[in-house]
């Protein structure tokens, strides 16, 4: 409730922080915000050429399959890695004026959400080019995004709080997010996962979010109740956990930033 109140009372500041991040990202860039669309497309193009020719997986509409995973995971990676340094990177503000600490990780996730919107436009360009038929289940993509954003914010708040006390978190998380990427079926089919390990593999939150996304777009179907429960459970669970951890640790932020 305090975080929601802070967001309401400090809405202008939150907007300024998001605008600052956005301007900093594209400062002196010729293409500017177009990179938010071009980046996932270029990444997908490289991966498409490499994996289609190297592994020759028989996945229908592979370009869309690949880009869905890239868009979802890139958002999560950007949101959490930006939130990681949200407090330590704003030390000059935190030590001079009173600003609710929640505002900083929230602003980072919102900045990543803006890039997600542009990446989604790039995804739909590929969907049209590949001729993947549209369906009514696309209307559930905003629901998926709400759950994904909530999950990323929860993880981001945990990382931001821990980073204040343990500066090595930025290096450890860099390794973890790379490992996490390879453990998520972004560019390979789920069928290559050994059956005896699949139960554990399904516990990967990003597997659930990416699969949910592909079910809506590629399978033109409603995700199963299990998928809904996994995605909603991770979103609510980590948002609550992140809030509790952040609340417990923020009392001494000013002593360590």
């Amino acid at each position: 409730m305090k975080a929601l109140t802070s967001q309401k009372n400090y809405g202008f500041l939150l907007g300024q922080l998001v605008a600052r991040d956005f301007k900093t990202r594209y400062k002196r860039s010729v293409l500017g915000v177009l990179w938010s669309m071009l980046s996932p497309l270029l990444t997908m193009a490289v991966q498409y050429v490499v994996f289609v020719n190297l592994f020759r997986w028989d996945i229908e509409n592979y370009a869309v399959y690949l880009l869905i995973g890239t868009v979802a995971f890139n958002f999560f990676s950007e949101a959490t890695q930006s939130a990681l340094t949200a407090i330590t990177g704003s030390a000059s503000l935190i030590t001079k004026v009173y600003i609710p600490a929640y505002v900083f990780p929230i602003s980072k996730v919102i900045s990543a959400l803006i890039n997600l919107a542009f990446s989604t436009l790039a995804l739909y360009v590929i969907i049209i080019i590949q001729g993947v038929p549209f369906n009514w289940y696309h209307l559930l993509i905003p629901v998926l995004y709400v759950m994904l954003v909530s999950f990323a914010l929860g993880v981001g708040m945990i990382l931001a709080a821990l980073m204040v006390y343990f500066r090595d978190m930025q290096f450890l998380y860099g390794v973890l997010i790379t490992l996490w990427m390879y453990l998520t079926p972004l560019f390979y089919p789920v069928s290559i996962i050994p059956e005896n390990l699949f139960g554990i593999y399904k516990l990967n939150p990003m597997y659930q979010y990416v699969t949910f996304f592909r079910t809506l777009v590629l399978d033109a179907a409603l995700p199963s109740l299990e998928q809904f429960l996994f995605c909603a459970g991770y979103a609510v669970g980590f948002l609550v956990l992140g809030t509790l951890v952040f609340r417990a640790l923020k009392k001494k932020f000013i002593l360590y930033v």
Side-chain angles (χ1 to χ4, degrees):
M1 291 301 296
K2 287 184 179 180
L4 292 175
T5 302
S6 298
Q7 186 175 355
K8 180 180 179 181
N9 296 336
Y10 293 86
F12 176 76
L13 173 61
L14 184 62
Q16 291 299 306
L17 291 173
V18 173
R20 181 195 66 179
D21 291 340
F22 202 69
K23 291 176 182 177
T24 301
R25 177 187 299 273
Y26 299 111
K27 186 178 181 180
R28 301 184 185 279
S29 172
V30 176
L31 295 177
V33 296
L34 285 178
W35 278 116
S36 294
M37 291 183 64
L38 289 176
S39 180
L41 285 175
L42 293 174
T43 301
M44 182 274 297
V46 172
Q47 292 176 335
Y48 182 85
V49 171
V50 171
F51 294 114
V52 165
N53 290 284
L54 183 61
F55 295 101
R56 301 186 181 279
W57 284 314
D58 186 19
I59 300 177
E60 188 177 0
N61 298 312
Y62 183 66
V64 177
Y65 178 93
L66 179 60
L67 192 55
I68 285 174
T70 301
V71 166
F73 197 88
N74 280 1
F75 162 75
F76 175 74
S77 177
E78 179 188 348
T80 52
Q81 291 193 85
S82 297
L84 174 69
T85 56
I87 303 300
T88 55
S90 304
S92 58
L93 282 174
I94 294 174
T95 56
K96 292 178 181 178
V97 295
Y98 172 74
I99 299 174
Y102 293 100
V103 169
F104 297 102
I106 289 174
S107 70
K108 297 298 184 181
V109 174
I110 292 177
S111 296
L113 181 60
I114 294 173
N115 286 328
L116 175 62
F118 286 109
S119 297
T120 303
L121 291 177
L123 170 62
Y124 272 92
V125 170
I126 300 301
I127 287 175
I128 293 171
I129 292 174
Q130 287 268 287
V132 177
F134 287 87
N135 62 80
W136 290 105
Y137 296 110
H138 283 236
L139 297 176
L140 290 177
I141 291 177
V143 176
L144 168 65
Y145 280 0
V146 168
M147 294 188 290
L148 181 57
V149 169
S150 299
F151 173 63
L153 179 57
V155 174
M157 288 196 293
I158 294 172
L159 293 172
L162 293 178
M163 177 66 177
V164 175
Y165 298 93
F166 310 104
R167 299 305 169 93
D168 289 341
M169 279 300 301
Q170 59 185 321
F171 307 114
L172 293 173
Y173 190 64
V175 175
L176 176 61
I177 198 69
T178 301
L179 177 62
W180 201 335
M181 179 185 70
Y182 287 109
L183 290 176
T184 305
L186 305 183
F187 47 81
Y188 58 84
V190 180
S191 58
I192 71 172
I193 305 301
E195 189 174 346
N196 60 323
L197 296 177
F198 191 65
I200 298 175
Y201 191 83
K202 287 171 62 177
L203 297 178
N204 175 0
M206 289 309 299
Y207 162 79
Q208 295 294 340
Y209 289 115
V210 170
T211 301
F212 192 111
F213 205 163
R214 287 171 176 158
T215 301
L216 296 176
V217 176
L218 293 175
D219 297 341
L222 185 68
S224 67
L225 178 60
E226 181 185 71
Q227 286 178 303
F228 269 111
L229 292 178
F230 264 114
C231 292
Y234 281 126
V236 174
F238 272 87
L239 188 58
V240 171
L241 178 61
T243 302
L244 292 176
V245 170
F246 196 89
R247 180 181 179 184
L249 298 180
K250 73 182 181 68
K251 298 175 183 178
K252 295 184 179 180
F253 279 176
I254 197 169
L255 300 177
Y256 292 90
V257 292

